[in-house]
Amino acid sequence: MFKAKERKGPSTPLKSSSAQVQLHSTEPYPHRLNFYDLPPIFDVTLEEFESAALARLRILAEIESSFVRNRSYDELKAVTKTQCDKYLTLNANSASTCDLQGERRRDHVGHFVLRLAFCRSEELRRRFVKAEMMLFRVRWDSDDTREREAFLSSRDFDWVPVDDKEKEMYKTQLMAVPSNIRPQDLEAHFKKDKYYKVRWTRVPDLVEKRRVFLKGGWAYVPAREQSSMVFQEFQTNLEKALEMTAKALPRLDEDTRLLPILNNLSQGFLAGVPSEWLSSSSSAAEGGGIKAEEVDELARKHFPMCMRNLHESLMRDRHLKHMGRLQYGLFLKVLGLSIDEAITFWRRSFSKITDDKFNKEYRYNIRHSYGLEGRRANYPAKSCQQILMQDQPGPNESHGCPYRHFSEDNLQSALLASYAPHGLTAADLPEIMHTVRAGHYHVACTRVFEITHARSGGVKKGEGVGGGESVTHPNQYAARSRELEKARLEKAESERDAMVVDG
């Protein structure tokens, strides 16, 4: 297998005393929390290079979606933890039966690969830092107290402890700082609290909220606000590291193995979609599962807007141009349409042409997409990222993403025409269009899924397609919709059987 050895130059941030702690620890990763001071200095296979980055990107993309959807911190924390458990597990030291070093190595590698991918522009750096900051905060809040203290002890944060004499000198001012402590408890808390001095520029969030006492350029920070200092330190270190990485990035231009991966990662992050969704049952589904005559009903009930648009265009015009046929055909393939049923479906749909023309101009391409002609490659369905970023539709073409490629008026009309029977109303459109205008197209699609499955599938706002996860693939949308319908029908049948027994 090819190996891509990480270079120390592009990814090395400012030196920190904690680097020495990590170098001389008995394990490479003694703590669950990590400031990522040292880049990987070991060989990394291309497979690990890409898979670790994609796993982390899924988490960061969902965090961004939470920002867009104005989720509360508790909701964001729950969604992030669910995603981490699924894609990027990171257990505490107390989980002795887990491969802690393997988990932390994967986390470490993924972080530095994304640094390489997202250091290229100011916008990417800003979004990356914001999402990484939130991931660190979620991990901080969920970490074991003793392990968190051990992590803090391993680093030199250059905080100046305030001695008792100085603390007593500014007692009145320190106790006057706004806090959540009840007035009658202030004296007791003041006596036992520790205070640290840092330059006020290192805690701008606390200064903004007036949670610290300022004197001579110093901010007096109580220990209860310690986390803010840690978060600010993490952000500052990461911002400096990204700037250094950006300056050294041209050295990677010669490596044709890594650049395509990095470009794909950065494009996915800009689109807000981390990667392709892979169904565990997609391979089996390609052998059969649905009939040609079932597609029309499935389209009305279960398809996302991009595939509904393609289906309706096909039914209206009795034809689709090449890119539309490719996007829709691969979607139907993964949905479960066998090659024989696919030929039947497309022949019926192209009803304005003769059998001879169909066999000469279209049959081969259908078989080719199923891996039965040409290179015999098993082509996957296009993901949201590919639909958004590749092969933009031109005049009289129906492929692409309606949330991105339709005008606002056309999109709103199409949404109501397609999903009004499933519960979407005009009152829902402002929220959806707000996310569209902000460029978060997959969030808009996810919100449509929630609205249209609230009544029939019991989906609540914020749940997405499950566990708070956003839509990242048209087949993911359709598969989850069908699962919800199946569960609803099974529940209804069970209730009917129970009524018959009771009767």
Side-chain angles (χ1 to χ4, degrees), residues 63-322:
I63 289 174
E64 272 215 328
S65 295
S66 295
F67 293 150
V68 175
R69 303 183 71 174
N70 294 318
R71 284 173 171 150
S72 67
Y73 175 67
D74 288 340
E75 291 172 330
L76 182 149
K77 182 178 178 181
V79 168
T80 303
K81 289 180 69 176
T82 299
Q83 293 292 96
C84 287
D85 291 342
K86 188 174 182 180
Y87 299 113
L88 195 62
T89 306
L90 205 62
N91 285 292
N93 291 339
S94 56
S96 56
T97 59
C98 299
D99 180 15
L100 299 180
Q101 293 302 306
E103 292 174 357
R104 295 171 186 182
R105 171 190 166 109
R106 179 176 171 83
D107 175 75
H108 188 207
V109 170
H111 173 88
F112 274 92
V113 175
L114 293 189
R115 271 196 197 181
L116 292 173
F118 302 144
C119 70
R120 304 170 174 211
S121 71
E122 185 176 348
E123 180 190 2
L124 280 172
R125 290 195 293 269
R126 176 184 57 79
R127 290 170 59 177
F128 179 64
V129 169
K130 186 177 179 181
E132 280 282 343
M133 270 280 295
M134 186 54 68
L135 176 59
F136 183 85
R137 180 182 173 185
V138 169
R139 288 175 171 174
W140 170 276
D141 289 345
S142 61
D143 205 22
D144 178 86
T145 303
R146 287 177 296 179
E147 292 186 28
R148 189 165 57 200
E149 290 297 325
F151 168 74
L152 291 175
S153 299
S154 72
R155 301 187 60 86
D156 180 9
F157 286 102
D158 194 27
W159 302 335
V160 180
V162 177
D163 59 31
D164 292 339
K165 181 179 179 180
E166 190 174 9
K167 179 180 172 182
E168 191 63 30
M169 183 188 306
Y170 298 116
K171 176 180 178 179
T172 303
Q173 294 91 330
L174 293 174
M175 290 183 63
V177 171
S179 69
N180 297 323
I181 301 172
R182 296 184 303 175
Q184 59 268 34
D185 297 330
L186 279 175
E187 184 76 29
H189 273 276
F190 176 77
K191 289 181 179 179
K192 65 180 182 180
D193 275 355
K194 293 182 180 180
Y195 284 83
Y196 302 92
K197 285 196 302 186
V198 296
R199 287 297 177 184
W200 71 269
T201 52
R202 292 177 62 180
V203 285
D205 59 326
L206 294 179
V207 174
E208 181 184 7
K209 297 174 184 177
R210 301 189 177 188
R211 304 296 291 267
V212 291
F213 166 58
L214 297 179
K215 179 71 174 178
W218 292 94
Y220 288 70
V221 184
R224 62 177 177 272
E225 302 288 358
Q226 188 180 51
S227 60
S228 291
M229 294 193 292
V230 176
F231 300 156
Q232 187 63 40
E233 195 81 10
F234 180 88
Q235 178 177 334
T236 301
N237 287 358
L238 183 53
E239 288 171 345
K240 291 178 179 178
L242 284 169
E243 291 174 3
M244 293 184 66
T245 305
K247 293 176 182 177
L249 189 65
R251 301 181 197 176
L252 286 175
D253 286 347
E254 63 203 47
D255 198 326
T256 57
R257 300 168 301 165
L258 302 185
L259 280 181
I261 298 175
L262 298 177
N263 288 333
N264 182 60
L265 291 168
S266 59
Q267 285 182 357
F269 198 54
L270 283 171
V273 185
S275 65
E276 294 184 7
W277 168 84
L278 299 176
S279 169
S280 59
S281 59
S282 61
S283 298
E286 289 170 11
I290 63 172
K291 302 294 184 182
E293 59 268 19
E294 297 173 341
V295 173
D296 192 58
E297 181 182 2
L298 289 171
R300 291 196 302 269
K301 295 168 63 176
H302 302 298
F303 285 10
M305 192 66 215
C306 55
M307 298 306 163
R308 285 196 67 134
N309 178 57
L310 284 166
H311 182 78
E312 290 166 5
S313 298
L314 177 61
M315 294 299 102
R316 181 187 64 244
D317 302 330
R318 291 298 166 181
H319 188 265
L320 283 176
K321 290 195 172 184
H322 173 72

Side-chain angles (χ1 to χ4, degrees), residues 440-503:
H440 299 282
Y441 310 110
H442 72 301
V443 176
C445 186
T446 304
R447 185 67 190 119
V448 169
F449 180 92
E450 292 173 345
I451 293 169
T452 55
H453 291 80
R455 184 173 56 193
S456 61
V459 176
K460 298 178 181 178
K461 184 175 182 178
E463 288 185 3
V465 290
E469 188 171 347
S470 301
V471 175
T472 59
H473 198 294
N475 285 95
Q476 173 199 27
Y477 185 114
R480 181 58 179 156
S481 179
R482 295 178 72 190
E483 287 174 7
L484 290 171
E485 182 187 51
K486 181 181 178 181
R488 179 178 61 82
L489 293 175
E490 289 177 349
K491 180 180 178 181
E493 183 178 356
S494 176
E495 290 174 351
R496 285 195 301 270
D497 292 342
M499 288 177 65
V500 170
V501 173
D502 293 341

